[in-house]
Every structure is written in structure tokens, then in C-alpha cells.
């Protein structure tokens, strides 16, 4: 071999079309994303050498998600997982959001230049199967400043912002807004009926199992809880009095902005999991327009809030089920 001979490395590999193995890897990771009521409103397909993530209109919640906001957020989160799966295969994607006039096409992942995965990509990818919503009470242990910084950086890296509420004044203000929104939704019988339809005690492949819900809400709880379960509260297992609450937002509120927010949300959740934290989502103040506007004004931020999170340390719980990969592939 002469000095001019050269063996191409992963960093210098030219892009080539994604294949069935790439599609399957992207779907396996994508289906682990969070979605409202675990409705799993996504589909995946291979077209022209690219992996596409599509919204599944048949799984859009008719009452809780009339606008499609929750579908786009969930599909954005699935897109981020798919990106990680392709990256750890040494085949990172070039991402285009809303690439077609067809509103059901959320993202197209085209092959980029091959390279080895970064340490962060490997760590976040490894966190995908361990991430799930933990609706149980957390311990009172504070989240260190270093981890808080990691969470905010994760949001910024995906073109979003994460506001971590500091002090009881800010926390009490959020709790009032969230509680008011929760009461509005509880008074809506059609909303509650739909929630009950997506809650089950068996082995369904979607929806929220009762055992994955938190204990029965109590009047003294600071933050509202979904009525997924009916588990009694163990003595001394009240919710933490000063939870760490984060509000995630993006500059706008177009469909593309909501997909961006979904990607950022998933990166924050995976970063939390990798840091040893548990998390649950609080969407009530986003679902009620007046509460969302009140929350936006209280934050003094440019842009709109897209999701609220409760973060902390807790006993590992059980995740919600997922549909089989063949069920989400479009051939």
C-alpha cells in the first residue's frame, strides 16, 4: 500500500439510501416515544431511500386533541428517537420537518454522511427503553444544579427552551394555573369518557394501564394528577411538597414548531433518564387555551409553552405497553 492509498473512515463515507434494517431500527426506537394517553399516533415507512415518520389520523384523540397538537408533539418525539437509532448505526440523518404538503408526513430522515455516534447519542439512545412516565410521588431530594443545566442545554440544542421554576412563588403560580385547567377538563364529561376509554387493567398494546397511574389524588396535592389509576395512597407517600417543574416551549406554534417541541421534549426526557431522574408530563395547562395563555404571560418568555414536566428522584415504575413494530410500518 502506498502513501497515497486511503481507506475511507466512517466520517468520510458517502450517503447511501436507507434500507429495511434502518427503517426497522428507527421504528423500534420511535415507538418508545411518549404520547397523550399512550395513543401512539405514528407510522413509519421507507420511501425513496429515506425514513419517513407520519401521523396516524385514526389515533388522534377526538376530544383531547382536536387541533392535532398532541399528535405532532408525539410524532416529534418519535422522530428524535428514530434519529438516535440511525445515528448509533453510524448512519445519521438529515432531517426535514413537514417536507410535503401532506400534513400527515411529519418528518423525512434522509441519509447524511456516515460517522461514528457521539458519546451523547449513545447515552441517550441507551436511555430510550428505560424512559417512561413515572406518576408516583418522588423523593424530596433536590436535583443538582449540574443536572438542571444539562436539561436546559438539551432543550436549547433542539431549538427550544426549558424554564425550571425556582421558588415557591413561581411554583404556586403554576400549580394554580394547572389546577384550574384540570378542573375545566374534569367537568367535561366527553373528555373524561375518552380518558376512561384509554385507561385499562388488561394487556392492551396501547393506552395507560391502571398500574402505571399514580395513587388516587388527594385535596392537598400541589399538582393535578390524571385519573388513570385507583391505587390507594400508602401511608407517608404523599407527593413531594416542592417538586421540580419545567416548562418547555418554542418560539412559535405552527405545526412545524410543535414537531420541534416534540423532539426537544424527548431529548430532555432522555437526558433526565440518563441523569437518573424520573419524570411525568403535565399537559392540562397546555390543553386549555386560557390556562396556556396565562402560563405564557407568567413566564415572560418569547414563544409559547408546549408541555410541563415534573422531575425528580423516585422508585422506578412500570412503563406503558407499545404496539408491535409491524403494526406501525407502512409497506
Amino acid at each position: 500500500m502506498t502513501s497515497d492509498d486511503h481507506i475511507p473512515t466512517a466520517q468520510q463515507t458517502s450517503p447511501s439510501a436507507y434500507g429495511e434494517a434502518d427503517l426497522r431500527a428507527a421504528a423500534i426506537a420511535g415507538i418508545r416515544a411518549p404520547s397523550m394517553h399512550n395513543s401512539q399516533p405514528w407510522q413509519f415507512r421507507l420511501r425513496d431511500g429515506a425514513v419517513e415518520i407520519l401521523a396516524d389520523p385514526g389515533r388522534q384523540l377526538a376530544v383531547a386533541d382536536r387541533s392535532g397538537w398532541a399528535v405532532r408533539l408525539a410524532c416529534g418525539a418519535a422522530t428524535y428517537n428514530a434519529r438516535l437509532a440511525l445515528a448509533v448505526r453510524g448512519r445519521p440523518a438529515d432531517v426535514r420537518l413537514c417536507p410535503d404538503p401532506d400534513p400527515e408526513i411529519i418528518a423525512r430522515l434522509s441519509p447524511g454522511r456516515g460517522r461514528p455516534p457521539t458519546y451523547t447519542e449513545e447515552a441517550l439512545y441507551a436511555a430510550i427503553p428505560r424512559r417512561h412516565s413515572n406518576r408516583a410521588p418522588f423523593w424530596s431530594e433536590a436535583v443538582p444544579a449540574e443536572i438542571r443545566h444539562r436539561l436546559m442545554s438539551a432543550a436549547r440544542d433542539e431549538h427550544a427552551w426549558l424554564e425550571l421554576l425556582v421558588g415557591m412563588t413561581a411554583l404556586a403560580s403554576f400549580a394554580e394555573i394547572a389546577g384550574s385547567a384540570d378542573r375545566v377538563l374534569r367537568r367535561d364529561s366527553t373528555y373524561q369518557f375518552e380518558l376512561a376509554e384509554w385507561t385499562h387493567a388488561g394487556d392492551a398494546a396501547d393506552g395507560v394501564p391502571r398500574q402505571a397511574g399514580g395513587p388516587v389524588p388527594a385535596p392537598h396535592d400541589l399538582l393535578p394528577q390524571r385519573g388513570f389509576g385507583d391505587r390507594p395512597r400508602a401511608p407517608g407517600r404523599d407527593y413531594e411538597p416542592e417538586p421540580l417543574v419545567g416548562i418547555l416551549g418554542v418560539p412559535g406554534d405552527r405545526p412545524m414548531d410543535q414537531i420541534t417541541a416534540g423532539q426537544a421534549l424527548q431529548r430532555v426526557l432522555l437526558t433526565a433518564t440518563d441523569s437518573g431522574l424520573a419524570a411525568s408530563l403535565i399537559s392540562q395547562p397546555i390543553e386549555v387555551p386560557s390556562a396556556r395563555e396565562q402560563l405564557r404571560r407568567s413566564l415572560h418568555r418569547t414563544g409559547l409553552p408546549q408541555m410541563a414536566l415534573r422531575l425528580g428522584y423516585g422508585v422506578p415504575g412500570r412503563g406503558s405497553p407499545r404496539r408491535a413494530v409491524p403494526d406501525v410500518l407502512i409497506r
Side-chain angles (χ1 to χ4, degrees):
M1 180 179 293
T2 69
S3 59
D4 293 330
D5 292 329
H6 186 69
I7 299 175
T9 63
Q11 291 91 333
Q12 298 159 328
T13 301
S14 297
S16 59
Y18 286 135
E20 288 290 333
D22 299 304
L23 172 65
R24 183 170 179 81
I28 289 172
I31 62 174
R32 300 307 309 176
S35 57
M36 183 179 283
H37 304 353
N38 193 29
S39 53
Q40 305 175 46
W42 41 62
Q43 296 174 312
F44 304 83
R45 77 178 173 196
L46 195 63
R47 188 174 70 158
D48 298 333
V51 172
E52 292 183 334
I53 294 88
L54 298 88
D56 185 343
R59 288 182 165 268
Q60 181 174 333
L61 301 173
V63 179
D65 188 30
R66 292 185 176 94
S67 69
W69 156 79
V71 167
R72 290 185 284 273
L73 208 70
C75 288
T79 297
Y80 186 75
N81 277 6
R83 285 170 51 195
L84 286 177
L86 295 169
V88 299
R89 292 171 61 83
R91 310 204 64 202
D94 293 332
V95 183
R96 286 186 61 200
L97 303 182
C98 304
D100 285 22
D102 182 353
E104 292 177 11
I105 302 179
I106 297 296
R108 177 174 294 133
L109 309 184
S110 301
R113 283 200 169 271
R115 59 164 175 78
T118 65
Y119 173 80
T120 297
E121 288 169 338
E122 290 182 324
L124 296 183
Y125 177 75
I128 289 175
R130 295 186 282 115
R131 186 224 63 85
H132 61 265
S133 294
N134 189 331
R135 302 174 182 88
F138 296 161
W139 302 323
S140 57
E141 181 180 353
V143 176
E146 177 186 357
I147 296 180
R148 295 179 185 223
H149 179 73
R150 282 191 67 194
L151 298 172
M152 292 187 289
S153 295
R156 281 197 303 270
D157 289 342
E158 294 300 323
H159 313 291
W161 47 260
L162 180 68
E163 180 81 18
L164 297 176
L165 303 184
V166 177
M168 277 307 298
T169 299
L171 193 56
S173 174
F174 171 76
E176 183 178 351
I177 294 170
S180 176
D182 186 65
R183 288 190 291 274
V184 169
L185 297 175
R186 286 182 181 274
R187 289 195 295 267
D188 186 335
S189 59
T190 58
Y191 185 98
Q192 293 304 314
F193 180 77
E194 183 179 64
L195 176 64
E197 283 190 312
W198 287 93
T199 306
H200 59 79
D203 297 324
D206 54 15
V208 179
R210 293 190 183 279
Q211 61 268 28
V216 173
H220 59 267
D221 291 342
L222 180 66
L223 301 177
Q225 303 294 328
R226 295 280 194 199
F228 287 122
D230 52 5
R231 287 190 295 146
R233 186 170 302 196
R237 286 294 286 152
D238 281 339
Y239 284 90
E240 59 276 20
E242 295 186 34
L244 176 60
V245 171
I247 315 296
L248 182 130
V250 290
D253 198 32
R254 301 167 302 165
M256 185 179 296
D257 297 313
Q258 295 165 1
I259 298 166
T260 296
Q263 293 191 91
L265 172 65
Q266 185 65 354
R267 181 157 184 167
V268 169
L269 291 172
L270 293 176
T271 301
T273 301
D274 181 57
S275 302
L277 295 179
S280 62
L281 304 181
I282 307 171
S283 63
Q284 294 94 318
I286 312 298
E287 296 176 57
V288 178
S290 58
R292 189 189 193 197
E293 175 59 21
Q294 191 177 357
L295 179 59
R296 183 194 67 79
R297 293 199 306 267
S298 72
L299 294 173
H300 306 291
R301 281 272 196 173
T302 301
L304 291 168
Q306 298 287 341
M307 183 57 72
L309 305 86
R310 180 177 65 105
L311 299 150
Y313 295 98
V315 177
R318 293 183 58 179
S320 297
R322 290 298 189 274
R323 293 186 291 157
V325 169
D327 294 340
V328 300
L329 296 182
I330 300 176
R331 296 296 181 184

